[in-house]
Amino acid sequence: MPTAPEQHVPISLHQAAESLNQEQARLFADWLRLMNGSGVPYVVSGAFALCAYTSIWRDTKDMDIFLQPKSLKPALEIMAKAGYETEITDTHWLAKVYQRPYFMDLIFSLPSNLVRIDDEWFTHSRPLEILGVSTRMVGPEELVASKVHVARSDRFDGADIAHLIRSQEGRLNWARLRRILGDDTILLWHLLLFNFIYPGHTDWLPQDLMVELFDKVRTTWKTPGDPAIFFGAAIDPHRFAVDQERWEYRNVKPSQPLVNEKGEAL
């Protein structure tokens, strides 16, 4: 029997938090209190931030936070001291804190390595309360940026981006988002996708910016660059592996480890 499609019903963050079971709620609140007490700069992302901005809630077994590579080791140490299992899942971007079946993702980069988590992610964060704990969530521009390159065959975050633009009625700092991404073509792609999804809300799009980006793209058509340059791995490293292995395209910015196996920034 086919699996029923996931339903997303508008819900407040308070209602979403109330939907968690007792053990999950206790864990998430404890993890937030520990992070607050650690003095490590961090921001909440994932399902909680998306719900706060869009009112869309997805049942989740994890909590996502963003922090910088230099903050990973002290964050892991305070969690381990509190008795939680910790793991550096990928030295390029991800560590985890467990009390199974629940976990917290400590994200210190993004898988594509094309977007950097810098001080502005904390400067532009916004206040949030989750389960009675005061914290801060990632800004809407950074949340969009974190989802832009997620376009794999098994997961596509384009709907989240469209919902975020809709929730802000287009009132995003487009110049800052453009600076965070460092790539105009993929931003234009998502703006066009929003235009397709919400033709009645085209006034929420940065139309002057889109014209500028169109002109920039057209200029590149006249003078193509190095034919070996390739960005496919930033979208889906598995589906586009054949391009590098068989056809010798060159990944423009291959992912590099940002921490060692102890969680220390490199």
Side-chain angles (χ1 to χ4, degrees), residues 161-180:
I161 293 170
H163 286 140
L164 283 162
I165 296 172
R166 177 191 174 279
S167 73
Q168 302 300 299
E169 297 184 355
R171 292 189 293 268
L172 281 85
N173 186 328
W174 297 106
R176 186 156 64 85
L177 177 56
R178 187 179 181 185
R179 187 170 68 250
I180 294 167

Side-chain angles (χ1 to χ4, degrees), residues 208-219:
D208 290 344
L209 174 60
M210 291 178 72
V211 170
E212 179 187 342
L213 299 185
F214 268 120
D215 288 342
K216 183 177 178 180
V217 170
R218 289 173 60 201
T219 300

